[in-house]
Amino acid sequence: MTLRRAAVVVFPLLLVCTGFAAGAAAAQDAAPQRPPALSYDRIFADDADGELPEDLTWSPDGRRLAFLFDDPGSDGEDGEAALWVIEPPGEARRVVGEVAAPPSPEEVSEAGEEVREAEEAAGDADDAAAGGRVESFAWAPDGEALVVVSEGDLWWVTLADGAARRLTATEEEESAPTVAPDGGAVAFVRDFDLWLLDLDSGAERALTEGGTEDEVIHADTDWVYWEEIWGRSSTGYWWSPDGARIAFYRFEEEPVETYPLVDFTTVPYPTVTWQKYPKAGTANPRVRIGVVDVASGALRWLDTGPDPAAYLARVHWRPDAEALMIERLAREQDRLDLLLCDPADGSCPVVHSETWPTWVNLGDDFRWLSDGRFVRGSERTGWRHLDLHAADGTLLRALTAGEWSVTSLDAVDEERGRVLFTSFGPGPLGAARRRVATVPLAAGPDDEVTADLTVLTPEEGWHSATAADGGRSWVHTWSDADTPPRMAIRDLAGRAVAALPSRPPVFDPAALPAWRFFTLAGPDGVELPARTLDPATRPAGGEVPALMYHYGGPGSQVVVDRWGGVRDLWHKRMAQRGYAVLAVDNQASIFFGKAGEDRLHRRFGPTNLAAQRAAAAWLAGHDWIDGDRIGLWGWSGGGSNTLYCLFNAPGTWRAGVSGAPVTDWRLYDTIWTERYLDHPDDNAEGYVLSSPITYASKLEDRLLVVHGTADDNVHPQNTIALAAKLVSAGKPFEDAVYPRQKHGFRGPSSRHFYERMERFFDEALRRPDP
């Protein structure tokens, strides 16, 4: 078996302070009785913190918005979503709930036309609401129809009547459908090849051939590109704006080694899933980009340079369809080149380059203008900002500037000459929030950068924009650390023009402990961003235990003024049960810009350890917190850093929980690991010193390590290797293995983990020493 990736709002203010709330200090006189804590049944209820639309997708003309939302008329037990559409300022309407279930393999004729005729005769469209769920969808160019994926088959849904017409009925799965710019055909991926289906005749033809998961992947991504280049989206092909050509990836997987993921629950023998996974210092897949002529099938490979190890990270067709821009990142990731490729002859001259002594971060902030100029994000100043480039790649000017960063380029409205973007704000806690703003494309007075910046969301909290092409309408999503997300459709002036369906939480968020934001003194006197939850009560004259949560990787953050879902509900539950809760970001976090994250170049561990030790000392400095009863936990990179902290500062924390940790950085993937630590051959000492497993023999505190056996991101090999080291060193520890769980736990396993972690910390921190 092989693996495949598978309303009025009250905005609370951020509080800058030097300690816990006065109410927490006063709690020393409170009685030990506590109100009931938020139950696990509530935390893990379906849509516990409410429900909002998902997969928000604007039509190409920006008139309509499609999204998935649970049908209020259904029982909701299966969590299946219906397809909805809204045309602002109108109301949202349900287009289709479920499309008909695909036939059994015995019913599938080898002749596709016979299948279609049989379905039409059976009145298949009339049964469109009786079968499989809507999994994904894409708009037709005119905004009058959508192509839908349901249980591996494609359907054509027209908005006028909601009728669903089956396009495919195969044993193979179809995925990633897109409609041709002229609306006459649908491209999709089947069996790792790119296919085209004519909407009038239903005829299909393959545009590539020879695709197999273990050898050649066409028009899709392999695992490491999917995870580290594309951020877990499956982008693998791109229509030219005129519909004449399609550019696509070709991955040759032969050089990549495989990893066995074992399902021990199958009887009588385990089932092995083989995953192509390049580990640090090993061979990546060979990657090319081809351009196929849709009419003739003629194929042209683009000349992206002599280095086969380079990452071909982004593809952008120019509006005139005469060229496409490719972002090429060196394997060392310290150089990013913009290649302007000619699809006719395959030539790809470099028109702009960006280098950085450590690494260059990729972004999704690139937009063409109609005249061939383009807007893109860059960290050339040490903070990520938007630049305007000429058609030949020349840098014209900066559009934004300051000691804050743009986090997304949301839209360009050429007609009004403005750019819509999301960023965090300046100041020591500015990065805890997000704001949506616009700036003009044209130069301002005296060419002053951002002189005309307009913030559309001045209220504090976490704002984001899902914008229509051109930016005239956008979905505004807002939350803060104590308020679940809310949505509204707004215009470019920020005015609400339409509402979206939603469901409220199953509990009252205002009745839960509230996060407080502040800064605390870190290494070298640097003010570190932090947030706390006060314990609900405290025994009279006694001290309370504390929990610390962290991540600690480059450019990351856990100090966020946004709703945190299950994890933060658990933290609030623990505060209700008498724990103080603290999260602190270190000097490599997003708060400190590119120069901050560069602190981790070639060496993980010490920067985060210094910050977390300062945070633990800050907790211990409160006379109502027991500095000897502090716990630390984190997941993934946070799990790695939990191990590093416990092993290198024994006694600072009494106990720690490490979830899905990388324990030896030689075991993690090429792109992420080499970006920060460089190639193992060039930084062997850095890999050893950065790996928690190196220090396993120093463990003195209680430790629980958690891993899923199906984790295809951080392999369970990491935890097994650590266990061997701890056993060899005679160090006691606890572990929890979750069968068939991947990197992010789902279903009952997620609840079981949090309940297990609570018991662990209660046993370690709430009971006095024997």
Side-chain angles (χ1 to χ4, degrees):
M1 179 185 292
T2 55
L3 176 74
R4 196 60 189 157
R5 308 176 297 269
V8 174
V9 178
V10 178
F11 297 91
L13 297 176
L14 286 177
L15 178 64
V16 179
C17 61
T18 57
F20 279 89
Q28 58 187 326
D29 298 323
Q33 293 86 3
R34 303 184 185 92
L38 184 65
S39 71
Y40 279 99
D41 286 342
R42 287 289 183 91
I43 293 175
F44 287 94
D46 289 342
D47 305 318
D49 47 9
E51 184 190 2
L52 291 174
E54 298 179 347
D55 294 348
L56 303 165
T57 307
W58 288 96
S59 60
D61 59 10
R63 290 186 300 124
R64 292 167 170 162
L65 176 73
F67 54 88
L68 298 180
F69 185 73
D70 278 359
D71 185 352
S74 69
D75 56 22
E77 292 182 357
D78 295 329
E80 295 181 354
L83 179 61
W84 293 63
V85 168
I86 185 172
E87 184 172 343
E91 295 184 353
R93 64 186 179 92
R94 175 183 176 277
V95 176
V96 64
E98 297 175 333
V99 293
S104 65
E106 295 77 15
E107 296 173 315
V108 177
S109 167
E110 294 181 358
E113 186 58 34
E114 292 178 11
V115 172
R116 278 183 286 276
E117 290 175 355
E119 290 172 341
E120 291 172 1
D124 183 58
D126 293 335
D127 295 329
R133 67 186 182 91
V134 175
E135 297 167 359
S136 64
F137 59 89
W139 278 102
D142 62 3
E144 299 295 335
L146 302 105
V147 59
V148 169
V149 179
S150 176
E151 300 191 15
D153 281 313
L154 305 182
W155 297 75
W156 186 258
V157 178
T158 53
L159 296 188
D161 55 9
R165 174 168 64 96
R166 185 191 293 277
L167 299 179
T168 64
T170 63
E171 294 188 49
E172 302 85 3
E173 290 190 0
E174 286 81 44
S175 64
T178 57
V179 186
D182 66 1
V186 173
F188 61 91
V189 177
R190 176 192 291 156
D191 278 350
F192 311 103
D193 276 313
L194 180 62
W195 287 74
L196 196 69
L197 182 149
D198 183 88
L199 285 170
D200 286 335
S201 68
E204 298 177 358
R205 58 190 174 99
L207 297 179
T208 66
E209 58 183 18
T212 59
E213 183 177 23
D214 293 332
E215 297 178 7
V216 175
I217 296 173
H218 289 127
D220 203 346
T221 55
D222 79 320
W223 184 90
V224 76
Y225 263 63
W226 173 79
E227 174 72 24
E228 308 294 3
I229 296 291
W230 285 102
R232 304 182 186 180
S233 68
S234 297
T235 302
Y237 71 92
W238 305 265
W239 281 97
S240 64
D242 62 0
R245 302 181 178 99
I246 300 178
F248 64 92
Y249 273 136
R250 174 184 169 93
F251 287 86
E252 297 178 7
E253 291 285 281
E254 180 273 330
V256 182
E257 296 293 334
T258 56
Y259 178 88
L261 290 164
V262 183
D263 181 359
F264 294 96
T265 66
T266 58
V267 177
Y269 296 102
T271 301
V272 179
T273 297
W274 292 98
Q275 178 195 16
K276 288 284 188 176
Y277 186 107
K279 301 204 172 191
T282 69
N284 277 316
R286 294 186 290 265
V287 186
R288 304 172 73 185
I289 293 177
V291 178
V292 60
D293 184 274
V294 172
S296 68
L299 176 62
R300 169 74 66 180
W301 295 105
L302 301 181
D303 182 6
T304 54
D307 183 6
Y311 300 113
L312 305 180
R314 298 286 186 270
V315 177
H316 316 280
W317 277 100
R318 202 168 64 189
D320 64 5
E322 295 300 317
L324 61 164
M325 189 79 81
I326 293 178
E327 299 185 31
R328 181 184 66 193
L329 184 66
R331 176 154 181 174
E332 295 76 15
Q333 301 187 58
D334 56 357
R335 181 184 182 92
L336 178 68
D337 295 317
L338 301 185
L339 313 180
L340 190 60
C341 300
D342 185 339
D345 63 15
S347 61
C348 293
V350 177
V351 296
H352 182 78
S353 295
E354 182 176 338
T355 61
W356 198 261
T358 56
W359 67 86
V360 177
N361 285 313
L362 284 171
D364 291 317
D365 38 14
F366 183 103
R367 295 290 190 284
W368 286 106
L369 303 182
S370 58
D371 60 4
R373 293 179 299 162
F374 57 92
V375 177
R376 69 176 294 266
S378 169
E379 289 178 307
R380 60 187 177 84
T381 65
W383 301 87
R384 193 162 196 92
H385 283 290
L386 300 177
D387 291 331
L388 178 64
H389 291 256
D392 64 0
T394 302
L395 175 62
L396 296 177
R397 70 182 189 90
L399 297 176
T400 63
E403 292 189 351
W404 49 271
S405 288
V406 172
T407 55
S408 68
L409 171 54
D410 301 313
V412 175
D413 183 356
E414 285 197 73
E415 181 179 338
R416 293 165 179 78
R418 299 194 72 82
V419 176
L420 182 75
F421 67 94
T422 304
S423 74
F424 61 76
L429 285 171
R433 305 184 294 271
R434 293 293 184 270
R435 60 185 182 179
V436 178
T438 66
V439 291
L441 276 168
D446 302 320
D447 205 20
E448 292 182 11
V449 176
T450 66
D452 196 21
L453 184 149
T454 301
V455 176
L456 302 181
T457 56
E459 302 88 356
E460 293 186 355
W462 195 278
H463 303 267
S464 65
T466 303
D469 196 22
R472 297 183 184 182
S473 297
W474 54 285
V475 177
H476 174 207
T477 303
W478 173 87
S479 72
D480 68 16
D482 303 306
T483 311
R486 301 169 182 177
M487 283 182 177
I489 298 178
R490 301 187 182 275
D491 61 17
L492 197 58
R495 296 181 294 258
V497 297
L500 291 169
S502 65
R503 289 200 187 91
V506 299
F507 51 82
D508 179 9
L512 302 178
W515 288 100
R516 301 181 182 274
F517 291 75
F518 63 104
T519 63
L520 61 82
D524 306 318
V526 173
E527 292 297 307
L528 298 176
R531 67 176 191 167
T532 66
L533 289 172
D534 304 337
T537 59
R538 168 191 160 202
E543 296 175 322
V544 301
L547 290 179
M548 294 173 56
Y549 171 76
H550 68 147
Y551 183 82
S556 63
Q557 67 177 132
V558 295
V559 180
V560 291
D561 192 17
R562 71 178 176 196
W563 187 252
V566 165
R567 182 180 63 231
D568 277 0
L569 286 175
W570 183 82
H571 283 141
K572 288 172 180 274
R573 170 184 166 85
M574 296 302 280
Q576 288 177 317
R577 299 181 64 249
Y579 284 83
V581 180
L582 175 66
V584 173
D585 278 311
N586 63 51
Q587 289 173 271
S589 65
I590 198 170
F591 293 83
F592 298 92
K594 189 66 170 71
E597 68 175 0
D598 283 350
R599 290 173 175 270
L600 300 189
H601 186 222
R602 296 172 63 87
R603 182 71 163 89
F604 292 159
T607 298
N608 183 65
L609 174 59
Q612 302 309 318
R613 293 185 74 173
W618 180 87
L619 284 170
H622 292 76
D623 59 9
W624 51 276
I625 294 178
D626 188 344
D628 291 328
R629 292 191 290 144
I630 302 176
L632 180 69
W633 84 280
W635 195 270
S636 191
S640 304
N641 278 319
T642 295
L643 296 173
Y644 189 97
C645 287
L646 294 182
F647 296 165
N648 284 279
T652 304
W653 298 271
R654 177 173 289 191
V657 174
S658 171
V662 176
T663 63
D664 184 334
W665 287 106
R666 295 171 300 177
L667 302 181
Y668 200 50
D669 75 58
T670 49
I671 298 179
W672 195 94
T673 313
E674 293 174 14
R675 179 184 304 144
Y676 308 118
L677 294 181
D678 293 341
H679 194 285
D681 292 346
D682 300 325
N683 187 25
E685 181 182 34
Y687 272 76
V688 172
L689 296 178
S690 299
S691 297
I693 199 169
T694 302
Y695 313 98
S697 62
K698 296 182 180 182
L699 176 66
E700 299 295 335
D701 308 298
R702 292 192 60 172
L703 172 64
L704 170 63
V705 186
V706 179
H707 224 120
T709 64
D711 194 333
D712 60 342
N713 185 341
V714 178
H715 293 148
Q717 177 185 14
N718 284 273
T719 288
I720 295 170
L722 174 65
K725 284 285 188 178
L726 292 170
V727 169
S728 178
K731 298 294 181 179
F733 67 99
E734 298 177 49
D735 60 14
V737 175
Y738 285 82
R740 305 180 70 177
Q741 289 300 303
K742 293 192 174 186
H743 197 55
F745 288 5
R746 297 290 184 268
S749 292
S750 181
R751 172 172 176 163
H752 188 280
F753 160 67
Y754 279 101
E755 291 180 322
R756 176 72 179 89
M757 182 163 60
E758 179 179 308
R759 290 195 302 273
F760 173 81
F761 279 130
D762 279 355
E763 292 168 1
L765 305 180
R766 290 173 67 100
R767 295 177 180 176
D769 291 331

